[in-house]
Amino acid sequence: MSKISWLHLSDLHLGRDVYNEKVVLEELLMDIRKQLEINKIKLDFVFITGDITYSGQKKEFDYVQEFLSKLLVVTNLNKENIILVPGNHDIDRTNLLSVVKNSKKLLNNRDAISEIIGNEAEREIYTQGLMNYRQFIENNFSWAIQAEKAPLFYTLNKKIDGIQVSVLALNTAWLAYGDDNEKGKIILGERQVREAFDKVDNPQIVITLMHHPFEWLDWFDSNDVKQMLERRADFILNGHEHRLEIIGKGSIFGKAFRISAGSVYETRNHINSYNIVSSDISEGMASCYFRRFIDRDGGFWSEDDTLDNSICNGKIRVKLSERIVEKFPVDVEKHEKVEKKELWINPVDNNVQLFIPDMPKDLINRIREGKCILFAGAGTSLDAGLPSWYELLKSMIEQVDACGQLDENQKEELEFLINQQDFTVIAEFCKEKLGVKGFADLIKEKLNTKNKISTIHNILAEIPFKAAITSNYDNFIEKTHKNIRVILPDDINKFDKETIASFFEEDIFPIFKIHGSHDDPSSIILTDNDYRNVIFSKPKYRENLRQLFKDKSLLFVGFSFRDSSINLLLQEIFTITDGMSNAHYAFLSDIGNIKKDFFWKSRNIRVIPYQTVDGTHIILNKMLEKIRDEFR
């Protein structure tokens, strides 16, 4: 049996609020000890992915030293098994104005960055803000002492339970001299990554640590390093975003399993979090344990089930990538006994043979005859890394909190509401608190598609739909189609039936954005008030949509049918026409016959079912490709 286990901490921010830090961290240490005992885990590593201090001051590292000394006792490890990378809060920004000014000139300049990384004197200039951090790790960890002088990165090669492990401790903070909101401006550097990989020693497992996630890198830098790391690393761990997250489930572009740690200490009433991962390589599985701090009854740590609906009691089982499994003999009997109810998240191997059913001939004919409209739901944009409904609301809550508009009772109630998935109430509250500009700025930031690629949208664009209807706010459909005309909710309400019908006669591709667009935040329909206003106060909006739904067949892709306004329209049409309207189609995953029958008998929707594979929707992409190929 070959096992490797680690504790993942990030964003401790020590030295700012010593009393409250102590409350949270003392409970943290007790919880770590308890979780290791209950789950019978023997740790091999502690990984800390940046922001161990609040402002990189020397005195703050004294608190780090004290905390790590206690952590070593709890984890029963020695210092050599604690691996750190720096974050932007570990930079001492005192007297760094010239460095800040010069660092901004390096954006979009790959050659200049490569030259600095390879030149020790230049590197010293740009990393002087990390001097206190570097001195701290060199004084405490032999892996830092043994490395070259003033490196950006550290590569550690260790044998753990017979497994040759290489850890790449990468530095994403070396040019992070701006404020905390530097998304899209962070630099890792292709040369740093390549040189780190050059120092690995025939590893069987590669673990990469970095503070900032890929989404925070400058676009050209992300293009350079993202696929390289996802293809060559087995695990990628990061921090910075102060939220716990499994990233890139079932990525078809690489085989790395990515986890964002969340923040160990932001404030006492923040949803502080950490995780433990224990991989049984011989079984081909990993157990992930997610914990969060609850600031109630004096404060305590508890299981975190908010990350994914499939997480139960703060635990989830995931399937390791084929690349890992194929290096080790798998205990097949033990592997097959894993309970089916547990979610397996596994980057899908493109070579895996998947059964793809034939597509309905009637659907193909309707598309060919120009009688089919695409209905794109939120699921079509998730593969590009855009936030889900849950994630968007979490960002709104965090922004309202950052503006200082939440009291303790409101924070507690919002946490309760989001756990209860009472999303429309949260949306109403946050939109009002943010105000017009604050709401617009957040929507534009979170739903920006610049330098993002949606594989599913690229496939959909090659299918000759007559038009598109979407409940999404992003602009992926606009980006992937030519000769478009975007029609927003006010336009739908303004036009008469003849105008709507004329769009289908012209050489354009109409896109009906029924809930608005992030390009025009004032058009967005998000809250109960918004929905009520558009349905009951704008009669032509509802009438025109109803006509579209009656005249054409719709193919629903990435849509969950939780939208009350769309369900109301479908039921209204079904009732008015006595079930004799055009049939629609919908791709839905893991659906049984009872629910299929319900959709047909109540909404005239023929469900095209498919099974998720290891928690992914790879079969949906293949089914859409099969439709696309009919028209090539």
Side-chain angles (χ1 to χ4, degrees):
M1 182 180 294
S2 300
K3 286 188 175 183
I4 178 170
S5 302
W6 64 76
L7 166 67
H8 183 190
L9 307 177
S10 194
D11 297 72
L12 288 82
H13 302 116
L14 296 179
R16 170 188 49 166
D17 181 8
V18 177
Y19 172 75
N20 285 312
E21 289 168 9
K22 186 176 181 181
V23 171
V24 175
L25 295 182
E26 285 185 352
E27 290 293 328
L28 170 72
L29 293 170
M30 289 191 289
D31 191 64
I32 292 171
R33 184 195 298 274
K34 182 178 179 180
Q35 294 309 306
L36 295 179
E37 291 174 354
I38 290 174
N39 297 294
K40 299 178 180 178
I41 297 172
K42 178 182 178 298
L43 289 179
D44 300 296
F45 291 107
V46 171
F47 296 133
I48 305 179
T49 51
D51 282 1
I52 55 175
T53 65
Y54 183 69
S55 60
Q57 304 299 309
K58 272 191 173 183
K59 63 180 181 180
E60 294 173 348
F61 285 99
D62 293 337
Y63 296 109
V64 177
Q65 179 80 49
E66 180 183 350
F67 171 72
L68 292 183
S69 296
K70 295 176 180 178
L71 184 63
L72 290 173
V73 175
V74 168
T75 58
N76 198 30
L77 291 174
N78 58 50
K79 278 186 178 180
E80 305 316 305
N81 294 79
I82 297 181
I83 317 298
L84 303 86
V85 294
N88 48 294
H89 276 266
D90 297 317
I91 298 173
D92 179 359
R93 290 184 169 87
T94 309
N95 301 322
L96 291 177
L97 290 179
S98 61
V99 176
V100 173
K101 184 177 180 180
N102 289 332
S103 67
K104 293 179 180 178
K105 298 177 182 178
L106 296 177
L107 294 176
N108 301 320
N109 195 334
R110 179 189 291 110
D111 293 337
I113 291 167
S114 177
E115 184 176 339
I116 291 171
I117 291 174
N119 185 306
E120 184 178 324
E122 284 280 305
R123 202 168 59 229
E124 282 287 342
I125 294 172
Y126 283 94
T127 59
Q128 60 184 281
L130 287 168
M131 190 68 69
N132 292 334
Y133 167 84
R134 196 165 65 226
Q135 188 171 7
F136 171 75
I137 61 170
E138 288 176 354
N139 289 343
N140 286 279
F141 305 100
S142 64
W143 48 263
I145 300 170
Q146 294 166 4
E148 297 175 7
K149 184 180 179 182
L152 284 180
F153 64 89
Y154 299 93
T155 298
L156 297 89
N157 299 296
K158 285 178 172 283
K159 202 154 201 173
I160 304 293
D161 198 16
I163 307 169
Q164 189 65 34
V165 179
S166 290
V167 180
L168 275 61
L170 302 178
N171 187 338
T172 63
W174 67 291
L175 290 177
Y177 288 107
D179 57 27
D180 288 348
N181 189 23
E182 290 188 305
K183 197 166 189 176
K185 300 177 184 178
I186 297 297
I187 299 294
L188 175 56
E190 178 187 16
R191 181 167 182 169
Q192 179 182 175
V193 176
R194 289 192 182 279
E195 290 185 356
F197 272 118
D198 286 343
K199 296 182 181 297
V200 301
D201 184 13
N202 195 28
Q204 294 168 296
I205 301 291
V206 176
I207 302 169
T208 296
L209 313 180
M210 48 198 284
H211 179 61
H212 296 88
F214 293 123
E215 292 75 18
W216 283 71
L217 302 183
D218 198 313
W219 68 268
F220 82 93
D221 197 37
S222 180
N223 285 347
D224 285 344
V225 304
K226 184 174 185 287
Q227 288 196 27
M228 189 193 323
L229 282 167
E230 287 190 334
R231 291 185 187 281
R232 297 182 64 181
D234 299 297
F235 298 93
I236 300 175
L237 312 182
N238 70 269
H240 185 66
E241 289 205 317
H242 297 189
R243 67 174 185 229
L244 181 64
E245 187 174 20
I246 294 178
I247 305 174
K249 296 180 186 178
S251 168
I252 61 174
F253 304 107
K255 299 189 177 184
F257 181 63
R258 297 174 57 197
I259 301 181
S260 179
S263 166
V264 167
Y265 179 75
E266 173 63 15
T267 62
R268 271 186 65 173
N269 50 38
H270 190 267
I271 302 179
N272 302 310
S273 59
Y274 77 94
N275 65 79
I276 299 172
V277 176
S278 181
S279 298
D280 188 333
I281 308 298
S282 60
E283 184 187 343
M285 300 294 295
S287 297
C288 304
Y289 305 85
F290 303 107
R291 308 291 293 172
R292 65 172 179 162
F293 183 75
I294 308 295
D295 190 26
R296 192 174 67 240
D297 302 328
F300 60 93
W301 288 80
S302 180
E303 64 270 5
D304 189 351
D305 291 339
T306 62
L307 176 61
D308 194 287
N309 289 336
S310 55
I311 294 179
C312 182
N313 298 323
K315 176 183 175 182
I316 193 170
R317 292 270 284 171
V318 299
K319 187 178 179 182
L320 298 177
S321 75
E322 294 297 328
R323 181 174 57 199
I324 296 177
V325 174
E326 67 188 11
K327 298 175 186 178
F328 300 89
V330 177
D331 186 336
V332 177
E333 182 179 352
K334 184 176 181 181
H335 185 77
E336 291 179 346
K337 287 182 180 179
V338 176
E339 295 182 38
K340 291 183 180 179
K341 68 178 181 180
E342 296 178 275
L343 176 66
W344 290 4
I345 299 170
N346 176 33
V348 175
D349 191 328
N350 288 327
N351 296 320
V352 173
Q353 297 299 309
L354 302 172
F355 173 71
I356 312 300
D358 291 331
M359 296 296 99
K361 289 183 180 179
D362 183 57
L363 171 61
I364 301 299
N365 289 337
R366 287 173 186 264
I367 296 173
R368 182 173 282 115
E369 294 165 4
K371 296 178 179 178
C372 188
I373 295 175
L374 166 68
F375 192 110
T380 57
S381 299
L382 294 181
D383 68 336
L386 291 192
S388 64
W389 180 227
Y390 171 86
E391 293 166 334
L392 182 61
L393 288 176
K394 289 280 286 183
S395 298
M396 292 177 70
I397 293 172
E398 290 170 3
Q399 186 61 33
V400 173
D401 189 21
C403 295
Q405 297 192 59
L406 292 182
D407 60 36
E408 296 304 316
N409 291 333
Q410 288 172 326
K411 291 177 185 178
E412 187 173 328
E413 184 175 356
L414 284 170
E415 182 181 342
F416 173 78
L417 289 172
I418 204 160
N419 288 337
Q420 296 296 313
Q421 298 189 5
D422 206 342
F423 293 157
T424 54
V425 176
I426 299 170
E428 194 85 55
F429 175 84
C430 290
K431 186 178 180 182
E432 180 184 350
K433 288 291 185 181
L434 288 172
V436 175
K437 186 177 187 305
F439 175 71
D441 290 345
L442 183 138
I443 289 294
K444 286 180 179 179
E445 176 197 347
K446 296 300 179 183
L447 300 180
N448 185 6
T449 62
K450 183 181 179 181
N451 304 317
K452 290 185 172 67
I453 297 173
S454 170
T455 301
I456 197 167
H457 273 288
N458 289 338
I459 299 170
L460 289 168
E462 297 184 75
I463 300 173
F465 295 107
K466 195 64 178 174
I469 299 173
T470 181
S471 55
N472 297 347
Y473 308 128
D474 64 68
N475 63 353
F476 273 122
I477 298 181
E478 294 95 305
K479 289 174 63 175
T480 53
H481 286 79
K482 298 178 180 178
N483 301 325
I484 64 168
R485 175 156 187 172
V486 175
I487 304 157
L488 297 176
D490 282 347
D491 299 323
I492 299 173
N493 186 59
K494 177 176 63 177
F495 297 137
D496 55 30
K497 292 181 182 179
E498 290 73 23
T499 303
I500 296 288
S502 70
F503 295 149
F504 293 89
E505 305 301 325
E506 301 174 13
D507 186 24
I508 61 171
F509 186 79
I511 303 170
F512 297 89
K513 307 198 75 167
I514 60 173
H515 290 169
S517 171
H518 87 292
D519 291 328
D520 180 7
S522 65
S523 71
I524 285 180
I525 297 170
L526 176 72
T527 69
D528 265 357
N529 279 336
D530 296 333
Y531 283 110
R532 185 168 56 250
N533 181 53
V534 78
I535 290 295
F536 298 111
S537 300
K538 298 183 177 181
K540 282 190 177 180
Y541 172 91
R542 184 173 172 185
E543 182 180 331
N544 283 329
L545 281 187
R546 185 169 61 232
Q547 196 64 42
L548 285 173
F549 280 41
K550 284 174 61 178
D551 290 348
K552 306 291 183 184
S553 288
L554 274 61
L555 175 60
F556 292 88
V557 182
F559 189 68
S560 64
F561 291 95
R562 294 176 183 171
D563 187 313
S564 58
S565 61
I566 298 301
N567 282 326
L568 181 64
L569 276 174
L570 289 167
Q571 292 175 68
E572 182 181 25
I573 294 166
F574 187 87
T575 303
I576 291 172
T577 64
D578 197 22
M580 299 300 290
S581 63
N582 284 325
H584 304 302
Y585 294 86
F587 288 108
L588 292 175
S589 64
D590 304 320
I591 187 172
N593 290 328
I594 293 176
K595 197 165 184 178
K596 280 177 59 180
D597 193 50
F598 167 80
F599 274 99
W600 175 244
K601 291 182 178 180
S602 67
R603 289 165 175 75
N604 218 19
I605 294 175
R606 292 180 175 133
V607 172
I608 307 172
Y610 67 93
Q611 298 297 315
T612 52
V613 178
D614 297 337
T616 76
H617 296 269
I618 186 66
I619 287 182
L620 173 60
N621 286 30
K622 298 296 183 183
M623 293 167 82
L624 291 172
E625 287 173 356
K626 205 163 190 175
I627 294 177
R628 175 200 65 190
D629 293 344
E630 290 282 343
F631 302 97
R632 283 189 162 182

